[in-house]
Amino acid sequence: MKNILNAPFVREMCKTAANMYRLGWDERNGGNISYLLNEKEVAEYLDLNAVLRTIPLMGVNAGEFDVTPLVGKIFIVTGTGKYFKNVEDDPETNLGIVRIVKNGVELLWGYKDGGRTTSELPAHLMCHMARLNADPENRVVIHSHPTNLLAMTYVHELDTERFTHTLWQMSTECIVVFPDGVEVLPWMLCGTNEIGAATAEKMTRARVAVWAMHGVYGAGRSLDETFGLIETVEKAAQIYMLTKNCERINTITDAQLKELAEFFGVDYRKGILNL
């Protein structure tokens, strides 16, 4: 067996977590990442028959959450109560590789201090199912607390179309990077089936779902793509917060946003631009 600590998916998780902490997106134990792995690749590093222990899903009424479409799938997931700043130095304590079973997960590696998966895993799994239906290549879900995007939810109306329109206007690249827009949820109790189901429903239409006064969920085909997606949304929110109370004498018009989308060949979300 190869050394699991050298596996590309472990190294990528470490680097991504370190970057998210460095940017202030994941204070203390805030935020979580889940990444659907290729079973054959994992088998190069782990004996897939060697189950360390079974961990029930946290905060979930099993009768209300059907995980069947993901049973047998293997994920690498950040642990509950773990600090992103510690992932790179001690991945085996702060990360876990798990296989989904009917009412929980089988631990194949990690959480060596007796830990368990993030309490947000049910929301992640619901989002994975939604995004895999939309795009079978979407393998990553990231939840974080980007500062400016969080601040924006306090001062901007929580309407998906208007929120998206504002973000698109903040930078030339926005409509190209997230042409599907961002979905917005009102404040809800985290770690529950309800917020997981609501987020998953939003993510049938977009790769980004904003939790008002809390943070964001982003999905993508790789850790790099998903990180870059959230990074772009956060940059747009930062520009909005910097200019919100200033007199705006220039803007990107809706006609220019349409021109951008057409030039780069992206299918942007309709009903947002006023044309």
Side-chain angles (χ1 to χ4, degrees):
M1 291 284 179
K2 299 179 182 178
N3 185 344
I4 186 66
L5 295 178
N6 296 328
F9 45 85
V10 173
R11 299 312 312 151
E12 286 178 296
M13 284 285 284
C14 291
K15 290 178 181 178
T16 301
N19 269 328
M20 291 169 70
Y21 181 79
R22 175 181 58 82
L23 291 168
W25 295 1
D26 296 275
E27 71 293 334
R28 198 172 179 270
N29 62 319
N32 23 77
I33 307 172
S34 60
Y35 178 9
L36 174 59
L37 302 177
N38 179 290
E39 183 175 322
K40 290 183 179 179
E41 187 177 6
V42 178
E44 297 178 18
Y45 298 91
L46 296 175
D47 177 357
L48 300 186
N49 294 313
V51 176
L52 301 179
R53 53 192 165 96
T54 299
I55 304 171
L57 293 176
M58 297 173 65
V60 174
N61 181 334
E64 297 175 1
F65 176 42
D66 183 11
V67 76
T68 302
L70 295 178
V71 167
K73 301 292 187 184
I74 297 173
F75 292 82
I76 185 167
V77 186
T78 50
T80 187
K82 304 303 182 187
Y83 289 29
F84 274 27
K85 71 182 181 67
N86 297 329
V87 172
E88 197 161 33
D89 289 337
D90 189 3
E92 193 173 0
T93 295
N94 295 286
L95 302 175
I97 295 177
V98 300
R99 181 167 51 216
I100 308 301
V101 293
K102 188 64 179 175
N103 294 313
V105 300
E106 295 176 333
L107 181 63
L108 303 176
W109 173 84
Y111 307 143
K112 70 176 182 181
D113 62 348
R116 55 195 296 169
T117 56
T118 170
S119 62
E120 301 284 1
L121 184 60
H124 278 247
L125 296 180
M126 293 179 196
C127 290
H128 275 289
M129 288 189 285
R131 289 311 308 164
L132 288 168
N133 282 332
D135 180 350
E137 297 301 314
N138 272 199
R139 306 175 70 84
V140 173
V141 171
I142 291 177
H143 169 55
S144 63
H145 307 155
T147 305
N148 294 284
L149 186 58
L150 178 57
M152 186 174 169
T153 65
Y154 284 89
V155 298
H156 193 288
E157 54 197 313
L158 301 177
D159 174 85
T160 288
E161 285 73 24
R162 292 178 181 177
F163 207 92
T164 294
H165 187 272
T166 295
L167 291 172
W168 278 355
Q169 284 193 313
M170 293 302 105
S171 172
T172 296
E173 69 175 351
C174 286
I175 197 170
V176 178
V177 175
F178 52 101
D180 45 351
V182 301
E183 290 281 338
V184 183
L185 282 162
W187 187 91
M188 298 177 69
L189 182 64
C190 57
T192 65
N193 279 15
E194 289 73 21
I195 196 168
T199 307
E201 194 278 330
K202 294 287 190 182
M203 296 191 88
T204 62
R205 296 183 291 276
R207 292 166 298 145
V208 176
V210 177
W211 286 5
M213 287 72 78
H214 184 146
V216 66
Y217 262 64
R221 299 183 176 195
S222 67
L223 284 166
D224 258 359
E225 179 186 85
T226 311
F227 177 89
L229 174 64
I230 296 172
E231 187 177 33
T232 306
V233 173
E234 165 66 358
K235 181 66 171 286
Q238 181 181 21
I239 296 167
Y240 171 76
M241 294 304 296
L242 286 170
T243 60
K244 180 181 183 295
N245 294 317
C246 302
E247 179 187 1
R248 185 179 298 175
I249 60 175
N250 301 301
T251 194
I252 304 173
T253 67
D254 283 12
Q256 289 169 334
L257 288 170
K258 181 175 182 288
E259 182 182 8
L260 271 167
E262 291 176 348
F263 180 80
F264 284 97
V266 296
D267 183 17
Y268 67 94
R269 186 167 178 164
K270 303 305 184 289
I272 293 176
L273 300 184
N274 299 308
L275 298 169

